[in-house]
Amino acid sequence: MTVSTIAPRQRKTDRTCCMTVTVSSQEINRALARARSHSPFLKLQLEARPAVAAALAEGDLAAALERVRSAGEGAPGVGAALRRERGALALALGIGDLAGLLPLEGVVGALSDFADRAVEEALAAAIAARTPDAEPRGFTVIALGKQGSRELNYSSDIDVLFLFDPRTVPLKPREEPGQGALRIGQRLVELLQKRDGEGYVFRVDLRLRPSPEVTPIALPVDAAISYYESSALPWERAAFIRARCVAGDRALGQYFLDAIHPFVWRRSLDFGAIGELQSITHRIRDHYAHGQAFGPGFDLKRGQGGIREIEFFAQMHQLIHGGREPGLRAPATLDALAALAEAGRIPESEATNLAAAYRLFRTIEHRLQMVDDRQTHTLPADAHALDNVARLHGLGDGGALLGLLRPHVDEVAAIYGRLGEEEGARMPRNAEALEARLAEAGFGQPAAARQRIENWRSAKARSLRTPAAMEAFEAMLPSLVDAFGASPDSMRAMNRFDDLVTRLPTGVNFFRLLEARPGLTQLVAAILSHAPALAEQLGRRPELLDGLIDASAFAPVRPVDRLAADYARSDRDDEDYQLLLDRVRRRVNEARFALGTQLIAAHGDPLEVAGGYARIAEAAIQVFADAAIAEFETRHGKVPGSELLILGLGRLGGEALTYASDLDLIYLFTGTHEAQSDGPKPLRATDYFNRLAPRVSAALSVATAAGPLYDVDTRLRPSGRDGLIAVSLASFSDYQRTNAWTWEHMALTRARPVYGSPEAREAASAVVDAVLRQPHDPATVVADAAKMRAEIALHKPPNGRFDIKLGEGGLVDLEFAVHTLQLCEGVGFDPNLEKAVTALVAAGFIPPEIEEAHRLLTRMLVMFRLVSPSSVEPPEASHPLVARACGLADWNALLAAHDAARHSIAQLWRGVSA
């Protein structure tokens, strides 16, 4: 007899589910007999569904499936109708499968089609019961897992994600959108999961939603998108290979799937995706160890060489290549294997063997589930029960079933196992073997290092409490140990890494990154060995390492205008002021961290890095000031003929910041203080700019989730703390010409406009130049400078020999000497101290050796801010790093050059201040 199966999906290949199968009435009868003898569930359905059973007895599967659709007629509600239809469908598909009327694709496709329709009808009923006249808009159901790929099991959960649009979800009067969506979802689940004498429709699993332990079952769609764009784990990419909108608001569902498409299909290889899927396999093998050995009790889904490994094999290759090859994005496993082989991404023989194993495993899985309609994947451990499953399949006994499965299980395990051959050996767990491995890696204190590793393995740290985190940690640990062992102070690096592990809220992505990038692990070891300032920042924000993956992290810092344009650029059209501030803070911190890493990795001259720090800060000022002004203008408008102008002083003005430098700023504004703004809430110019300036300072200095940025110091403004934070350029000029103290003019020698229009900057520069070049009484300047330097020495004594700034002959002495000579002689006015020194040397006011002394001390200062923030001698392990960065062969050579430099600067200052 001839029957036509239903067609759950069409493919380009000839492996279609729509086919004609010829079977004899003998095969039908044998299938019915096996069902009655070995499947209590099918026997019950044969008795309960006489119309379907009669069609099957006649060998007419098409008629049986037609009668399935009418099985729910006359039921008291949607839930009851779907339960009856599901029972009838299970019967028709079960007998059709046992008789060979349906290939695997036909069975799973029909089950998936019914699941889609059941969810759609249940959702419509859930909405209609609450809001009868509402359209089913604003709520959508995304199918994941085997429903998403149209591969549902005979007795399966459905993995779904409920999303809603707060603006359009149907609500009762005065009901909050979140509460309304929750109740729709709860009713939908109830209709599908409720059991009665006629069974159930589908078990519903909602655990694949973001953070299921804390989130409601229905999520706002934009919140879900934000999660997948920013916080999702790599394994969730694999889950969404099989995502599909199956019910509700299809436009909303497609909006979500389109939005997360870049998250799933990345054009470049994600360093964590492959390791994540492999780690899931390791966890499954560990957790289901009792079901790993093939034989009775073998877990056909999770066992080694089972269904899950075939799925992961396909998904792993899809994630590697699918971002660039859309043809590889097939959701269904068999389709994916065929596409991968066709594209040459896997051998044809592997695709063929895996596909054959998959069909067999899924078919036997269905036999297991047909017995009692249980969601099981495990071969019975009991011999009688195993024989029963074998006979349901048409075999003689359990031994024959094991013999049928064994070669396929072995082949899958071998193919999948080859994917992990490059992972390398894990660190030993035996204490003695672990210490030996640590000693081999270079640890001078292997016992202490072993204790540290054992403490991590105890999972006391929050970042190591999940199986995923621990698996990622173990995979990364060998390369980490080798990197730390090769570092100059292995235990110091390990102890700082412990601080980082302790602070991390979650460690999975961080550990995966280190596993995938051994070179990055070595860099982390160097950072933790040498740079407590960077280590502390890394502990707060481990994602800073992401910025070091690209080689551009070690390139010179770009010009200010290009940096500012890059920081200001956003991929979002709806970015508000706070989002912009957080985004730019993250970018700036990443750039500063990368610059510090250049020094630790010996990729940059500290003098060039100091200039890079200054350009980053100036670009940040431009972006933050622009943003603050735009936000301020929405309420207060603009002041006609006026604009904000910012002067940078100190190291910012001199374009030579360190990692820890403050920003010394003076806020000015052009135009007259009598003008008034033109916005909805107008302000006089002085009030306007004195409210605006603190907003700019706050944008630069207030710590947020993106981390602290800069300390802003505005004490150099006219009248210091007692003065207005922002004054007009005219007032500033008048104050500096008539009322400023000598120290204020000394500070002004390093003033430079860092924000404002070209015209405003030029006007400010002219004011500064005119003030500095006005006549200064040399005796007064020298006396004031000497007195001020003495007060600094009294109130801020140096912190030991290596206080590069404050100690005798340090940079403060040099700055005082240079600024005193500039004001007295009217020579060398340049905010860049190096250029000022060069000009004074050329004019004969400073000995030539002072140029090299300044460069050496500046290099030391930049390095010390990273390796020894407290200005004490750096740890011995860091001596070679600092010496090389300063251009000296070793630490002793650096000490000698340092002493000579300070002696020459001390002599200079004594001569100038005498």
Side-chain angles (χ1 to χ4, degrees):
M1 65 187 64
T2 301
V3 296
S4 295
T5 69
I6 60 175
R9 65 172 179 272
Q10 300 291 331
R11 272 192 41 79
K12 295 179 182 178
T13 72
D14 59 2
R15 295 189 307 104
T16 178
C17 302
C18 188
M19 56 190 298
T20 300
V21 182
T22 302
V23 295
S24 67
S25 58
Q26 224 175 5
E27 290 170 319
I28 290 284
N29 290 331
R30 280 200 293 264
L32 288 167
R34 294 202 308 273
R36 289 189 175 97
S37 299
H38 304 292
S39 172
F41 171 69
L42 288 178
K43 180 181 179 182
L44 177 65
Q45 296 304 319
L46 284 166
E47 295 168 354
R49 320 287 177 195
V52 177
L56 290 170
E58 295 170 4
D60 193 345
L61 180 59
L65 291 170
E66 283 297 323
R67 294 173 187 181
V68 165
R69 292 300 300 266
S70 60
E73 291 178 0
V78 170
L82 290 172
R83 287 191 289 275
R84 293 177 184 179
E85 189 175 339
R86 187 260 175 184
L89 181 66
L91 172 61
L93 294 179
I95 300 302
D97 186 4
L98 289 172
L101 294 170
L102 286 170
L104 173 68
E105 292 93 328
V107 175
V108 299
L111 289 167
S112 302
D113 286 347
F114 172 67
D116 292 357
R117 188 163 52 80
V119 174
E120 185 78 81
E121 292 182 12
L123 176 59
I127 292 175
R130 289 170 33 82
T131 50
D133 299 325
E135 295 182 21
R137 294 178 57 210
F139 193 101
T140 192
V141 181
I142 305 296
L144 302 169
K146 287 186 168 62
Q147 184 186 1
S149 59
R150 306 187 75 258
E151 300 173 295
L152 271 184
N153 290 331
Y154 191 78
S155 178
S156 181
D157 289 354
I158 56 171
D159 296 295
V160 291
L161 181 64
F162 295 161
L163 302 172
F164 69 93
D165 183 345
R167 297 166 297 182
T168 58
V169 64
L171 299 174
K172 291 184 175 183
R174 295 180 298 279
E175 187 175 46
E176 290 293 324
Q179 193 63 36
L182 174 65
R183 288 171 178 160
I184 292 171
Q186 289 172 333
R187 179 57 179 156
L188 171 56
V189 171
E190 181 185 9
L191 286 169
L192 295 174
Q193 281 195 165
K194 182 179 179 181
R195 287 178 178 268
D196 60 15
E198 296 185 281
Y200 64 100
V201 187
F202 286 102
R203 292 173 291 268
V204 180
D205 191 337
L206 294 160
R207 291 175 296 175
L208 290 183
R209 71 185 186 275
S211 305
E213 66 281 358
V214 296
T215 55
I217 63 171
L219 301 174
V221 65
D222 288 330
I225 291 170
S226 177
Y227 169 82
Y228 290 111
E229 288 178 339
S230 62
S231 307
L233 298 173
W235 68 262
E236 290 172 292
R237 289 181 58 202
F240 274 92
I241 290 175
R242 305 196 284 187
R244 188 166 56 91
C245 180
V246 296
D249 190 332
R250 302 305 173 110
L252 180 64
Q254 195 58 48
Y255 163 72
F256 169 75
L257 293 174
D258 289 344
I260 67 165
H261 186 272
F263 158 71
V264 182
W265 302 112
R266 297 178 182 171
R267 291 188 61 79
S268 59
L269 174 61
D270 177 12
F271 47 77
I274 310 311
E276 174 67 20
L277 290 180
Q278 289 176 332
S279 73
I280 292 173
T281 303
H282 288 307
R283 296 202 302 273
I284 290 170
R285 287 180 172 180
D286 290 344
H287 185 73
Y288 294 94
H290 64 279
Q292 294 299 327
F294 183 76
F298 178 72
D299 191 317
L300 201 57
K301 178 178 180 180
R302 305 176 185 88
Q304 186 170 329
I307 294 168
R308 185 65 61 81
E309 292 191 356
I310 301 173
E311 293 172 339
F312 282 0
F313 179 91
Q315 291 167 10
M316 207 175 298
H317 287 87
Q318 287 178 292
L319 290 180
I320 294 172
H321 304 293
R324 295 181 179 273
E325 301 177 48
L328 302 182
R329 299 172 188 173
T333 303
L334 290 172
D335 295 348
L337 290 171
L340 288 164
E342 186 178 338
R345 292 303 179 185
I346 61 175
E348 182 69 39
S349 60
E350 289 189 355
T352 299
N353 292 339
L354 290 173
Y358 186 77
R359 285 192 175 91
L360 176 62
F361 295 168
R362 291 296 309 276
T363 298
I364 300 303
E365 179 184 50
H366 288 173
R367 302 294 179 264
L368 295 170
Q369 296 171 350
M370 284 177 187
V371 175
D372 288 311
D373 192 25
R374 290 177 53 240
Q375 189 190 17
T376 181
H377 317 280
T378 304
L379 298 178
D382 176 75
H384 176 74
L386 184 62
D387 288 343
N388 183 70
V389 173
R391 289 165 184 153
L392 178 62
H393 187 58
L395 300 174
D397 56 24
L401 178 59
L402 294 177
L404 177 66
L405 290 169
R406 185 186 301 276
H408 294 280
V409 170
D410 291 344
E411 178 68 10
V412 171
I415 292 173
Y416 189 81
R418 287 195 287 271
L419 286 175
E421 288 175 352
E422 72 281 3
E423 288 184 60
R426 302 292 176 99
M427 294 297 293
R429 289 190 174 272
N430 173 272
E432 191 172 315
L434 181 55
E435 283 193 27
R437 173 72 171 80
L438 289 164
E440 179 187 347
F443 280 81
Q445 301 171 273
R450 171 185 59 79
Q451 290 173 354
R452 182 66 75 195
I453 290 174
E454 288 175 346
N455 185 59
W456 290 332
R457 283 173 164 168
S458 71
K460 293 178 182 176
R462 180 173 49 167
S463 63
L464 288 166
R465 287 177 186 167
T466 66
M470 187 56 74
E471 171 61 30
F473 175 80
E474 289 290 349
M476 169 276 308
L477 190 55
S479 60
L480 184 81
V481 164
D482 289 338
F484 284 177
S487 68
D489 192 337
S490 54
M491 277 311 300
R492 189 167 188 244
M494 185 168 265
N495 290 335
R496 282 192 177 146
F497 189 77
D498 180 66
D499 294 338
L500 197 158
V501 168
T502 302
R503 290 194 192 113
L504 282 173
T506 177
V508 174
N509 289 339
F510 178 64
F511 300 144
R512 286 263 145 64
L513 174 56
L514 294 185
E515 177 198 0
R517 299 283 175 137
L520 195 60
T521 308
Q522 294 171 357
L523 187 56
V524 169
I527 290 170
L528 299 179
S529 297
H530 297 298
L534 296 181
E536 182 180 353
Q537 191 177 10
L538 187 60
R540 290 194 302 265
R541 290 190 59 215
E543 65 272 18
L544 287 168
L545 286 184
D546 292 351
L548 303 183
I549 296 173
D550 196 314
S552 63
F554 296 98
V557 176
R558 291 173 295 166
V560 172
D561 57 345
R562 291 180 59 190
L563 275 180
D566 186 33
Y567 293 159
R569 190 178 300 112
S570 173
D571 295 331
R572 298 184 55 158
D573 296 330
D574 60 342
E575 185 177 62
D576 63 16
Y577 180 62
Q578 289 302 324
L579 287 175
L580 179 146
L581 296 187
D582 280 348
R583 177 179 58 77
V584 177
R585 284 180 182 126
R586 282 194 296 272
R587 296 290 306 279
V588 171
N589 267 332
E590 288 166 3
R592 295 171 69 207
F593 182 83
L595 267 186
T597 303
Q598 286 188 21
L599 295 175
I600 300 305
H603 272 282
D605 184 325
L607 295 180
E608 295 176 358
V609 169
Y613 280 135
R615 290 195 291 280
I616 291 169
E618 187 173 346
I621 290 170
Q622 290 193 23
V623 176
F624 285 136
D626 283 347
I629 289 170
E631 177 76 4
F632 196 72
E633 286 176 352
T634 60
R635 299 187 67 189
H636 303 293
K638 299 181 180 182
V639 178
S642 292
E643 65 173 279
L644 184 68
L645 177 62
I646 305 175
L647 294 184
L649 294 90
R651 292 199 157 273
L652 175 62
E655 300 177 274
L657 291 179
T658 71
Y659 181 80
S661 291
D662 296 349
L663 301 185
D664 293 305
L665 304 180
I666 292 179
Y667 291 102
L668 305 172
F669 60 90
T670 60
T672 173
H673 64 273
E674 297 175 350
Q676 181 169 292
S677 68
D678 56 9
K681 296 187 175 182
L683 294 170
R684 302 280 286 191
T686 299
D687 291 335
Y688 184 96
F689 290 104
N690 274 274
R691 291 191 189 182
L692 173 60
R695 290 173 177 255
V696 179
S697 291
L700 288 162
S701 61
V702 172
T704 68
L709 207 54
Y710 296 103
D711 287 331
V712 175
D713 191 338
T714 59
R715 290 174 297 176
L716 293 177
R717 66 185 184 267
S719 302
R721 286 196 178 104
D722 297 329
L724 294 172
I725 194 170
V727 299
S728 70
L729 182 60
S731 298
F732 176 76
S733 174
D734 181 64
Y735 174 85
Q736 291 290 345
R737 285 186 296 101
T738 59
N739 295 316
W741 297 78
T742 299
W743 67 264
E744 291 179 283
H745 285 180
M746 292 177 70
L748 210 59
T749 60
R750 302 185 75 182
R752 179 175 63 90
V754 294
Y755 183 80
S757 67
E759 297 77 15
R761 292 184 185 223
E762 185 177 347
S765 295
V767 167
V768 170
D769 189 63
V771 169
L772 295 179
R773 294 188 182 280
Q774 71 184 22
H776 290 84
D777 176 49
T780 301
V781 171
V782 170
D784 287 348
K787 180 181 178 182
M788 184 167 36
R789 181 66 185 95
E791 288 180 357
I792 291 175
L794 178 64
H795 297 292
K796 293 182 67 176
N799 188 19
R801 176 187 181 187
F802 292 99
D803 192 326
I804 305 300
K805 289 181 66 176
L806 294 172
E808 184 180 6
L811 286 173
V812 170
D813 278 355
L814 177 59
E815 291 166 4
F816 267 79
V818 168
H819 300 332
T820 301
L821 288 170
Q822 287 172 315
L823 294 178
C824 291
E825 307 297 338
V827 173
F829 288 120
D830 195 300
N832 185 305
L833 193 63
E834 184 175 2
K835 294 178 181 178
V837 168
T838 298
L840 289 168
V841 168
F845 294 112
I846 286 180
E849 63 267 21
I850 295 299
E851 288 186 271
E852 185 52 40
H854 169 249
R855 284 192 288 267
L856 175 68
L857 293 190
T858 301
R859 287 188 174 103
M860 290 185 72
L861 178 69
V862 173
M863 289 300 298
F864 271 50
R865 287 295 182 261
L866 288 177
V867 303
S868 180
S870 60
S871 297
V872 299
E873 180 177 351
E876 185 176 351
S878 299
H879 286 178
L881 174 68
V882 177
R884 285 195 302 270
C886 294
L888 280 300
D890 55 38
W891 183 251
N892 288 332
L894 177 62
L895 292 183
H898 165 260
D899 291 345
R902 296 189 80 135
H903 177 72
S904 61
I905 290 173
Q907 276 192 317
L908 172 65
W909 171 238
R910 282 195 292 270
V912 170
S913 61

